[in-house]
Amino acid sequence: MEKYKSNPNFVKALEYIGSHDLASMENGTYRIDGDNVYVNIVECNMRPQSQARLEVHDVYIDVQIPLSGPETFGVKSRSACTEQDGEMNTDNDIMFFNDREYDLKVVGKGEIVVFAPEDAHAPLIGEGLIRKAIFKVKVR
């Protein structure tokens, strides 16, 4: 995380994480600094790895924290992705890849995982329902 600390938006997200009980917050979107830094507290159904797609973002760094249990993420360098699925949706800052080969990373309850624009990630791999915090941190 040291490489991100030069980004003031990232520092604001870390300060928020350190000063709020995310697990007790209601589901919804919380603006920390307008569109520069915000967090979505959500509940999502997890899915089998075969249904998980890699995604990337250009404008935001994703900082994700599972709140109710562990979550598995597929992880691959964006530059190594070869099977782009459509164009970047600039309104939602998301583009998908259909690459099936990627590393798996298990992130435990309360642990933090960071995905920069150069990182492709496939979230929500697992079974059941998960509650999580997804911070969107503007790159600059």
Side-chain angles (χ1 to χ4, degrees):
M1 291 217 273
E2 288 299 317
K3 76 177 189 175
Y4 300 110
K5 288 188 177 178
S6 64
N7 178 332
N9 295 326
F10 191 81
V11 172
K12 288 176 190 174
L14 290 180
E15 289 171 351
Y16 193 90
I17 291 167
S19 63
H20 289 77
D21 180 5
L22 300 174
S24 70
M25 294 171 64
E26 297 290 325
N27 290 348
T29 299
Y30 298 84
R31 298 281 170 183
I32 299 163
D33 183 13
D35 287 338
N36 292 320
V37 186
Y38 61 95
V39 60
N40 294 311
I41 306 292
V42 298
E43 287 185 52
C44 302
N45 287 311
M46 295 206 283
R47 55 190 165 217
Q49 182 180 350
S50 62
Q51 295 176 8
R53 289 194 307 164
L54 291 167
E55 61 184 61
V56 296
H57 312 287
D58 285 342
V59 178
Y60 289 99
I61 299 166
D62 262 12
V63 179
Q64 300 198 26
I65 306 170
L67 300 174
S68 62
E71 177 180 0
T72 300
F73 291 85
V75 180
K76 187 173 187 174
S77 171
R78 182 177 186 165
S79 63
C81 293
T82 59
E83 297 179 38
Q84 186 174 324
D85 183 12
E87 298 301 315
M88 173 61 75
N89 178 327
T90 55
D91 291 339
N92 295 323
D93 187 39
I94 194 165
M95 182 171 62
F96 294 98
F97 289 89
N98 290 325
D99 295 51
R100 300 310 314 161
E101 291 186 25
Y102 46 76
D103 294 330
L104 294 175
K105 169 72 176 159
V106 177
V107 180
K109 176 181 175 181
E111 293 181 341
I112 298 171
V113 64
V114 178
F115 299 110
E118 61 268 17
D119 305 317
H121 59 286
L124 300 171
I125 298 172
E127 294 180 0
L129 189 67
I130 190 162
R131 190 158 189 278
K132 63 191 285 186
I134 305 169
F135 284 81
K136 303 302 271 187
V137 179
K138 196 170 260 187
V139 173
R140 286 286 171 174

